[in-house]
Amino acid sequence: MDYQYQDTGYIAAPQDYKIWSIINIVLGVLCCGCCGIIGLVLAIMALLKSNDVGKFVAMGETGITQAQDASEKAKLYNIIASALIGLSFICNFIYVILYFTGALN
């Protein structure tokens, strides 16, 4: 018997990016500034989309396309949030350096 072309019916669940979202939330809370606050909001939105991935995967085969869509959005939100939080950290670091060197006096 040749089972080479037999479909198993198994579809892999998309990644949910929940850990990345939580890390972005923690870093967004730690960093102050406009970019950090926007990054925090995006990280919360990413966490909500990450939770949707698990909900749609639990629906079975009918929810896989919705789960993939939610996964892509969670990834996009996390990328933008990470960039904004990183930018905020860099700005805060530059501010601290300028403050301690006396350039702001």
Side-chain angles (χ1 to χ4, degrees):
M1 293 188 141
D2 188 17
Y3 294 107
Q4 183 175 354
Y5 299 109
Q6 186 176 11
D7 185 23
T8 61
Y10 176 74
I11 300 172
Q15 192 171 3
D16 63 358
Y17 303 106
K18 196 172 287 189
I19 301 297
W20 190 7
S21 301
I22 293 170
I23 291 171
N24 277 338
I25 289 172
V26 170
L27 292 176
V29 167
L30 292 177
C31 109
C32 302
C34 182
C35 292
I37 299 298
I38 295 170
L40 176 63
V41 170
L42 285 171
I44 292 170
M45 290 172 55
L47 183 62
L48 294 174
K49 284 296 178 184
S50 296
N51 290 333
D52 286 346
V53 171
K55 180 176 67 174
F56 291 135
V57 167
M59 288 173 55
E61 199 171 311
T62 58
I64 286 296
T65 57
Q66 294 169 330
Q68 289 171 342
D69 183 48
S71 174
E72 290 172 5
K73 287 182 181 178
K75 182 179 179 181
L76 176 67
Y77 293 157
N78 274 320
I79 289 171
I80 296 170
S82 294
L84 290 173
I85 291 169
L87 179 66
S88 183
F89 270 126
I90 291 170
C91 291
N92 288 339
F93 181 73
I94 291 172
Y95 177 78
V96 168
I97 296 295
L98 291 175
Y99 179 78
F100 283 116
T101 57
L104 295 178
N105 291 337

